[in-house]
Amino acid sequence: MTTSVPAPWQRAASGANLLAANGTLGVTIFEEMTTLAVRTGAINLGQGFPDEDGPAEIKAAAQAAIAAGANQYAPGKGILPLREAIAAHQERFYGLTPDPETEIIVTTGATEAIAASLLAFVEPGDEVLTFEPFYDSYGAIIGLAGATHVTAPLLAPDFMPDMAALEAAFSGRTKVVLINNPHNPTGAVFPREVLQRVVELASRHDAVIITDEVYEHLTFGERHIPVASLPGAAGRTVTISSAGKTFSFTGWKIGWLSGPEHLVAAIRTVKQFLSYSSGTPFQGAIAVGLGLPDDFYTGISETLRHKRDILSEGLKAAGLDVFTPQGTYFVNVDTAPLGISDSVDLARRLPELVGVAAIPVPVFCHPEGAERTRSLLRFAFCKKTEILEEAAARLATLRDRL
């Protein structure tokens, strides 16, 4: 009797919680909630994308580049002006000095950077450690690579890790530690002592650290600390970010990574056979964005903080327990005070109940983590103020509609 071995696509689907027990393929929760929002006319606070464009000067730079003929393949590692702008940004904000020639790659969004990095370093038998809840693409690529996805829980209300559980999650097979900070979906911003402990444990087990820092400028009072800036981290850390979250041009798919030359060269070997290159006119425009003055960066976080507070008030009025995020553009709530223990079921009912769509947190977890977070919902507040005010008013009626 032969045992069926999962195909690569099945491993990817299973890693992202898209494969049912009977082997049938489901749709992502984002697609399901967006479809429900469209059908019911609900305000979609599920998928995290802004509903207005970023700075006009960045958009104008892309238009000018298209008109000037920057419409063919960019170099595989990205155009030099953008790589130089990324290096200048890292030095300006964090004191890091990656070499734009050998230690930076431009990617098709952060998602490709994450995929290329994992595929470069892990194989069957290896373990990749992430915090849980985790962004779904992590599980998909870990599964595609045939590695084992190990998690360490983040615990409400502040979604900080249990440090003993974090240490126990490491093993002799830990090849990569993948850290998302600021963290999606919880909104946590990890302090120096947590990040330094990750570095120490990764060093002990000789693991590569991959950091997804796409929300680096979207923090509320807590200053973002790149892992690569910590003692002992630089030689083993790949830092990933993107233009989509900072500049509100998510559809351009311009991301980047930086790190020591030997790691970046390995990732570039894989990346060149994924997209090779992308978004030539957008690359130069993002270089303009990275050079914007400090008041732009402080302004986007202050604006988001205000939007966070608008939505949070509506969620509190609904009787939900609100976990105030320190970063990203997501706020999580506990539905248990309303007597609800199944946030997946509530998410499917919410568009009809009050005309708002959200994402249940258990979909970002393995079964044990899903049980631990089974009453939690995530809402995105990266929308226009008037939309959030309307959503808050609708959500405030939830208790009476259940």
Side-chain angles (χ1 to χ4, degrees), residues 3 98 115 142 262 264 308 319 325:
T3 302
I142 293 166
H262 70 287
V264 170
R308 174 198 71 178

mmCIF file with all atom_site columns, all heavy atoms in Angstrom, residues 3 98 115 142 262 264 308 319 325:
data_model
loop_
_atom_site.group_PDB
_atom_site.id
_atom_site.type_symbol
_atom_site.label_atom_id
_atom_site.label_alt_id
_atom_site.label_comp_id
_atom_site.label_asym_id
_atom_site.label_entity_id
_atom_site.label_seq_id
_atom_site.pdbx_PDB_ins_code
_atom_site.Cartn_x
_atom_site.Cartn_y
_atom_site.Cartn_z
_atom_site.occupancy
_atom_site.B_iso_or_equiv
_atom_site.pdbx_formal_charge
_atom_site.auth_seq_id
_atom_site.auth_comp_id
_atom_site.auth_asym_id
_atom_site.auth_atom_id
_atom_site.pdbx_PDB_model_num
ATOM 1  N N   . THR A 1 3   ? 1.589   5.374  0.189  1.00 0.00 ? 3   THR A N   1
ATOM 2  C CA  . THR A 1 3   ? 1.068   6.578  0.830  1.00 0.00 ? 3   THR A CA  1
ATOM 3  C C   . THR A 1 3   ? 1.232   7.752  -0.118 1.00 0.00 ? 3   THR A C   1
ATOM 4  O O   . THR A 1 3   ? 2.319   7.973  -0.672 1.00 0.00 ? 3   THR A O   1
ATOM 5  C CB  . THR A 1 3   ? 1.824   6.858  2.143  1.00 0.00 ? 3   THR A CB  1
ATOM 6  O OG1 . THR A 1 3   ? 1.685   5.725  2.989  1.00 0.00 ? 3   THR A OG1 1
ATOM 7  C CG2 . THR A 1 3   ? 1.262   8.088  2.831  1.00 0.00 ? 3   THR A CG2 1
ATOM 8  N N   . PRO A 1 98  ? 24.131  49.279 4.606  1.00 0.00 ? 98  PRO A N   1
ATOM 9  C CA  . PRO A 1 98  ? 24.281  48.231 3.592  1.00 0.00 ? 98  PRO A CA  1
ATOM 10 C C   . PRO A 1 98  ? 24.867  48.789 2.299  1.00 0.00 ? 98  PRO A C   1
ATOM 11 O O   . PRO A 1 98  ? 24.607  49.936 1.923  1.00 0.00 ? 98  PRO A O   1
ATOM 12 C CB  . PRO A 1 98  ? 22.845  47.738 3.390  1.00 0.00 ? 98  PRO A CB  1
ATOM 13 C CG  . PRO A 1 98  ? 21.984  48.909 3.772  1.00 0.00 ? 98  PRO A CG  1
ATOM 14 C CD  . PRO A 1 98  ? 22.721  49.584 4.894  1.00 0.00 ? 98  PRO A CD  1
ATOM 15 N N   . ALA A 1 115 ? 9.535   34.989 0.135  1.00 0.00 ? 115 ALA A N   1
ATOM 16 C CA  . ALA A 1 115 ? 9.545   33.703 -0.561 1.00 0.00 ? 115 ALA A CA  1
ATOM 17 C C   . ALA A 1 115 ? 10.950  33.339 -1.033 1.00 0.00 ? 115 ALA A C   1
ATOM 18 O O   . ALA A 1 115 ? 11.419  32.212 -0.830 1.00 0.00 ? 115 ALA A O   1
ATOM 19 C CB  . ALA A 1 115 ? 8.577   33.747 -1.740 1.00 0.00 ? 115 ALA A CB  1
ATOM 20 N N   . ILE A 1 142 ? 6.741   28.200 3.634  1.00 0.00 ? 142 ILE A N   1
ATOM 21 C CA  . ILE A 1 142 ? 7.393   27.159 4.437  1.00 0.00 ? 142 ILE A CA  1
ATOM 22 C C   . ILE A 1 142 ? 6.922   25.785 3.970  1.00 0.00 ? 142 ILE A C   1
ATOM 23 O O   . ILE A 1 142 ? 7.715   24.857 3.804  1.00 0.00 ? 142 ILE A O   1
ATOM 24 C CB  . ILE A 1 142 ? 7.101   27.374 5.931  1.00 0.00 ? 142 ILE A CB  1
ATOM 25 C CG1 . ILE A 1 142 ? 7.773   28.662 6.423  1.00 0.00 ? 142 ILE A CG1 1
ATOM 26 C CG2 . ILE A 1 142 ? 7.573   26.179 6.766  1.00 0.00 ? 142 ILE A CG2 1
ATOM 27 C CD1 . ILE A 1 142 ? 7.282   29.135 7.782  1.00 0.00 ? 142 ILE A CD1 1
ATOM 28 N N   . HIS A 1 262 ? 26.903  37.454 1.634  1.00 0.00 ? 262 HIS A N   1
ATOM 29 C CA  . HIS A 1 262 ? 26.769  36.021 1.341  1.00 0.00 ? 262 HIS A CA  1
ATOM 30 C C   . HIS A 1 262 ? 25.318  35.552 1.396  1.00 0.00 ? 262 HIS A C   1
ATOM 31 O O   . HIS A 1 262 ? 24.917  34.669 0.631  1.00 0.00 ? 262 HIS A O   1
ATOM 32 C CB  . HIS A 1 262 ? 27.643  35.199 2.292  1.00 0.00 ? 262 HIS A CB  1
ATOM 33 C CG  . HIS A 1 262 ? 27.181  35.176 3.722  1.00 0.00 ? 262 HIS A CG  1
ATOM 34 N ND1 . HIS A 1 262 ? 27.304  36.267 4.568  1.00 0.00 ? 262 HIS A ND1 1
ATOM 35 C CD2 . HIS A 1 262 ? 26.585  34.193 4.455  1.00 0.00 ? 262 HIS A CD2 1
ATOM 36 C CE1 . HIS A 1 262 ? 26.822  35.948 5.758  1.00 0.00 ? 262 HIS A CE1 1
ATOM 37 N NE2 . HIS A 1 262 ? 26.385  34.707 5.717  1.00 0.00 ? 262 HIS A NE2 1
ATOM 38 N N   . VAL A 1 264 ? 22.629  37.662 0.848  1.00 0.00 ? 264 VAL A N   1
ATOM 39 C CA  . VAL A 1 264 ? 21.934  38.351 -0.248 1.00 0.00 ? 264 VAL A CA  1
ATOM 40 C C   . VAL A 1 264 ? 22.235  37.671 -1.582 1.00 0.00 ? 264 VAL A C   1
ATOM 41 O O   . VAL A 1 264 ? 21.345  37.525 -2.428 1.00 0.00 ? 264 VAL A O   1
ATOM 42 C CB  . VAL A 1 264 ? 22.322  39.843 -0.271 1.00 0.00 ? 264 VAL A CB  1
ATOM 43 C CG1 . VAL A 1 264 ? 21.811  40.527 -1.542 1.00 0.00 ? 264 VAL A CG1 1
ATOM 44 C CG2 . VAL A 1 264 ? 21.769  40.551 0.966  1.00 0.00 ? 264 VAL A CG2 1
ATOM 45 N N   . ARG A 1 308 ? -6.898  54.867 14.109 1.00 0.00 ? 308 ARG A N   1
ATOM 46 C CA  . ARG A 1 308 ? -6.998  53.757 15.060 1.00 0.00 ? 308 ARG A CA  1
ATOM 47 C C   . ARG A 1 308 ? -7.978  54.086 16.174 1.00 0.00 ? 308 ARG A C   1
ATOM 48 O O   . ARG A 1 308 ? -8.826  53.258 16.558 1.00 0.00 ? 308 ARG A O   1
ATOM 49 C CB  . ARG A 1 308 ? -5.614  53.469 15.651 1.00 0.00 ? 308 ARG A CB  1
ATOM 50 C CG  . ARG A 1 308 ? -5.600  52.429 16.758 1.00 0.00 ? 308 ARG A CG  1
ATOM 51 C CD  . ARG A 1 308 ? -4.321  52.492 17.586 1.00 0.00 ? 308 ARG A CD  1
ATOM 52 N NE  . ARG A 1 308 ? -4.263  53.679 18.436 1.00 0.00 ? 308 ARG A NE  1
ATOM 53 C CZ  . ARG A 1 308 ? -3.277  53.953 19.281 1.00 0.00 ? 308 ARG A CZ  1
ATOM 54 N NH1 . ARG A 1 308 ? -2.242  53.128 19.377 1.00 0.00 ? 308 ARG A NH1 1
ATOM 55 N NH2 . ARG A 1 308 ? -3.301  55.047 20.012 1.00 0.00 ? 308 ARG A NH2 1
ATOM 56 N N   . GLY A 1 319 ? -19.207 46.834 22.759 1.00 0.00 ? 319 GLY A N   1
ATOM 57 C CA  . GLY A 1 319 ? -19.048 45.908 23.881 1.00 0.00 ? 319 GLY A CA  1
ATOM 58 C C   . GLY A 1 319 ? -17.914 44.936 23.710 1.00 0.00 ? 319 GLY A C   1
ATOM 59 O O   . GLY A 1 319 ? -17.794 43.967 24.483 1.00 0.00 ? 319 GLY A O   1
ATOM 60 N N   . PRO A 1 325 ? -3.388  48.523 19.396 1.00 0.00 ? 325 PRO A N   1
ATOM 61 C CA  . PRO A 1 325 ? -2.114  48.180 18.758 1.00 0.00 ? 325 PRO A CA  1
ATOM 62 C C   . PRO A 1 325 ? -1.086  49.291 18.914 1.00 0.00 ? 325 PRO A C   1
ATOM 63 O O   . PRO A 1 325 ? -1.425  50.474 18.980 1.00 0.00 ? 325 PRO A O   1
ATOM 64 C CB  . PRO A 1 325 ? -2.501  48.002 17.285 1.00 0.00 ? 325 PRO A CB  1
ATOM 65 C CG  . PRO A 1 325 ? -3.658  48.940 17.102 1.00 0.00 ? 325 PRO A CG  1
ATOM 66 C CD  . PRO A 1 325 ? -4.417  48.904 18.407 1.00 0.00 ? 325 PRO A CD  1
#
